[in-house]
């Protein structure tokens, strides 16, 4: 069966996949959820892609599942190490040379992200639980949203200084 490599988005961790992973394993697949180094100010999208490629290993039948911010680094990983399928879950798409606007994703509503608190170390995190729930978990139960909020991590913003433009995709 396939190896599913599950890659979390900004502020999250491998825990975001803890309900899906057992279902994949029960269906006979191998599932590995990675933890990206989102707290490392020196990390780039290439660094994130290195983590993903390591998780792919030498498997041939790989389904790479990218949530949100992981869409960029997962695309880079798939260009380095071809996969059977690349699935974007609310994925941020990479810039691609030659595409209109260089593939720049649509701008998010600034009001949604106004509640982000900027930290002295260059990271940001959600400073308002209601805003985080509205942005990240609007369709979740109050219990699930509260559980996820407790586990969010600061996300370094330096990664955007090295947002690559891919030659192809």
């Amino acid at each position: 069966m396939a190896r599913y490599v599950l890659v979390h988005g900004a502020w999250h961790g491998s825990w975001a996949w803890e309900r899906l992973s057992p279902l994949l394993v029960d269906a006979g697949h191998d599932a590995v959820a990675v933890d990206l180094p989102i707290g490392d100010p020196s990390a780039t999208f290439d660094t994130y892609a290195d983590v993903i490629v390591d998780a792919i290993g030498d498997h041939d039948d790989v389904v790479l599942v990218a949530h949100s911010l992981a869409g960029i680094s997962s695309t880079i990983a798939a260009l380095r190490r071809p996969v059977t399928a690349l699935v974007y879950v609310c994925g941020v798409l990479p810039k691609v040379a030659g595409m209109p606007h260089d593939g720049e994703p649509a701008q998010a509503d600034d009001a949604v992200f106004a509640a982000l608190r900027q930290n002295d170390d260059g990271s940001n995190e959600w400073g308002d639980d209601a805003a985080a729930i509205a942005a990240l978990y609007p369709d979740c139960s109050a219990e699930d949203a509260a559980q996820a909020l407790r586990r969010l991590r600061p996300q370094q913003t330096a990664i955007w200084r090295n947002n690559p433009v891919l030659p192809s995709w």
Side-chain angles (χ1 to χ4, degrees):
M1 291 289 195
R3 168 169 263 211
Y4 281 76
V5 177
L6 309 169
V7 189
H8 64 83
W11 308 290
H12 290 76
S14 61
W15 59 266
W17 303 103
E18 67 190 12
R19 291 187 181 172
L20 178 60
S21 293
L23 299 175
L24 293 168
V25 171
D26 287 349
H29 299 287
D30 178 37
V32 59
V34 302
D35 269 312
L36 297 175
I38 67 172
D40 180 354
S42 68
T44 65
F45 286 109
D46 283 324
T47 307
Y48 287 12
D50 291 341
V51 172
I52 297 164
V53 169
D54 286 347
I56 292 171
D58 61 358
H59 291 80
D60 291 325
D61 187 6
V62 175
V63 177
L64 181 54
V65 182
H67 172 240
S68 192
L69 181 63
I72 295 172
S73 51
S74 294
T75 303
I76 295 168
L79 289 170
R80 289 186 193 166
R81 172 63 171 75
V83 297
T84 304
L86 176 54
V87 179
Y88 296 95
V89 180
C90 299
V92 175
L93 300 178
K95 296 179 185 182
V96 179
M99 290 181 64
H101 311 291
D102 284 326
E104 188 72 45
Q107 295 300 309
D109 181 358
D110 288 338
V112 171
F113 295 101
L116 286 171
R117 180 176 57 232
Q118 299 301 312
N119 298 323
D120 291 340
D121 68 354
S123 67
N124 64 20
E125 60 188 313
W126 291 93
D128 179 291
D129 288 353
I133 290 170
L136 305 174
Y137 312 115
D139 297 329
C140 295
S141 70
E143 179 183 327
D144 287 345
Q147 181 182 19
L149 284 174
R150 288 192 300 272
R151 299 168 92 177
L152 292 178
R153 304 181 293 163
Q155 170 70 52
Q156 280 292 330
T157 58
I159 193 165
W160 291 107
R161 285 187 285 230
N162 296 306
N163 188 3
V165 177
L166 303 180
S168 64
W169 178 28

